[in-house]
Amino acid sequence: MTPDQPTEHHRRRSLFAGLRASFLTGLVVVLPIGLTVYLVYAVIGWIDSWIIPLIPHNWRPEALMGYYFGPGMAYPVRGVGVVVFLLFTILAGWVAKGLIGRTLIARTEALVDRMPVVRSVYGGFKQVTETFFAKSERSFDRTCLVEFPRPGCWAVGFVATTAKGEIAAKLPTDRQMIAVFVALTPFTSGILLYLPEEDVILLDMKADEAVKLIVSAGLVAPTAKDMRALAEQAAQVD
């Protein structure tokens, strides 16, 4: 055997290295797809577990399939609860925009205001949903950098809104203060900070890109393609 000929050990090592590289490449392809499918499947199942029990038994998908196609076809159908939830929400929104719906909601809220514990829970949920879905005010769609937890250290935050109410009145400063939510990796908790507007560095980064950055502990940063898209959007606005 000449020195240039590969030994059996080298061939096995090369084969193992190739298999290892293929396995890692496969993980990069399979994991995002698998985790996305699993998450969507789990969320749909969670919604179904809340909605399906509210549907009369004879009107549930498995009962209807068993009636039309026989007992062998009577198996749970996932996703029906999501469809029912979407249709019910659309119908509720359509009714709420009318005079009868507004009157009914006003009377219901007046009744809820008389319940000590329920009114606090309902009021909190209502304020949060109105803040997230209100079209008149932009919330959490702007990202920023703030010095946290000490000067010289910077964290990515989400601009919520300007300070309002009692907080704005009692903050010991005359400067414009804004609320910034600083999420902690892996986005399971966070801290709400009130900071002077001039101490906050606004970013062009979108909120979903900031979420990916935080969840990945800084490993997934906006790509050059994303930055070019942001630059083109800024140019169109100008």
Side-chain angles (χ1 to χ4, degrees), residues 122-186:
Y122 173 77
F125 283 135
K126 183 179 180 181
Q127 289 181 351
V128 171
T129 53
E130 287 179 347
T131 300
F132 271 98
F133 298 106
K135 297 180 181 179
S136 59
E137 185 173 357
R138 302 171 60 189
S139 299
F140 293 114
D141 60 346
R142 292 181 296 168
T143 58
C144 63
L145 286 174
V146 296
E147 284 191 295
F148 177 82
R150 62 177 178 82
C153 295
W154 295 87
V156 177
F158 301 87
V159 178
T161 182
T162 56
K164 298 177 181 179
E166 181 182 4
I167 293 179
K170 293 188 176 181
L171 281 172
T173 179
D174 295 332
R175 295 186 292 178
Q176 179 72 26
M177 305 292 286
I178 60 176
V180 176
F181 177 74
V182 177
L184 304 179
T185 304

Side-chain angles (χ1 to χ4, degrees), residues 197-215:
E197 188 172 12
E198 59 268 21
D199 293 343
V200 175
I201 302 177
L202 295 178
L203 300 175
D204 293 329
M205 184 186 306
K206 295 182 179 179
D208 57 343
E209 295 170 351
V211 171
K212 289 188 291 185
L213 179 67
I214 296 171
V215 171

Side-chain angles (χ1 to χ4, degrees), residues 3-237:
D4 296 335
Q5 291 178 339
T7 63
E8 184 68 19
H9 174 72
H10 289 163
R11 285 197 295 268
R12 291 180 179 177
R13 188 174 180 181
S14 177
L15 176 62
F16 177 77
L19 292 176
R20 179 176 178 273
S22 298
F23 176 75
L24 294 177
T25 303
L27 283 180
V28 174
V29 175
V30 172
L31 278 182
I33 298 176
L35 292 176
T36 301
V37 172
Y38 173 78
L39 180 60
V40 172
Y41 187 80
V43 170
I44 292 176
W46 178 74
I47 296 176
D48 283 353
S49 66
W50 282 86
I51 302 299
I52 294 297
L54 302 178
I55 302 176
H57 186 272
N58 293 334
W59 290 93
R60 296 180 185 179
E62 56 269 24
L64 295 176
M65 294 183 68
Y67 177 79
Y68 287 106
F69 301 102
M73 295 296 293
Y75 58 89
V77 179
R78 182 157 294 206
V80 175
V82 177
V83 175
V84 173
F85 173 75
L86 292 176
L87 294 177
F88 176 79
T89 304
I90 293 173
L91 178 62
W94 178 73
V95 173
K97 292 189 296 184
L99 177 61
I100 297 177
R102 292 197 301 268
T103 303
L104 181 61
I105 292 175
R107 292 183 178 181
T108 303
E109 291 182 345
L111 178 62
V112 170
D113 286 338
R114 300 175 184 176
M115 304 178 184
V117 178
V118 177
R119 67 185 179 189
S120 300
V121 177
Y122 173 77
F125 283 135
K126 183 179 180 181
Q127 289 181 351
V128 171
T129 53
E130 287 179 347
T131 300
F132 271 98
F133 298 106
K135 297 180 181 179
S136 59
E137 185 173 357
R138 302 171 60 189
S139 299
F140 293 114
D141 60 346
R142 292 181 296 168
T143 58
C144 63
L145 286 174
V146 296
E147 284 191 295
F148 177 82
R150 62 177 178 82
C153 295
W154 295 87
V156 177
F158 301 87
V159 178
T161 182
T162 56
K164 298 177 181 179
E166 181 182 4
I167 293 179
K170 293 188 176 181
L171 281 172
T173 179
D174 295 332
R175 295 186 292 178
Q176 179 72 26
M177 305 292 286
I178 60 176
V180 176
F181 177 74
V182 177
L184 304 179
T185 304
F187 217 89
T188 54
S189 61
I191 299 176
L192 178 64
L193 305 174
Y194 284 93
L195 304 169
E197 188 172 12
E198 59 268 21
D199 293 343
V200 175
I201 302 177
L202 295 178
L203 300 175
D204 293 329
M205 184 186 306
K206 295 182 179 179
D208 57 343
E209 295 170 351
V211 171
K212 289 188 291 185
L213 179 67
I214 296 171
V215 171
S216 65
L219 296 177
V220 180
T223 62
K225 180 180 179 181
D226 297 331
M227 300 309 297
R228 287 196 299 269
L230 289 174
E232 293 176 356
Q233 293 178 3
Q236 292 177 0
V237 173

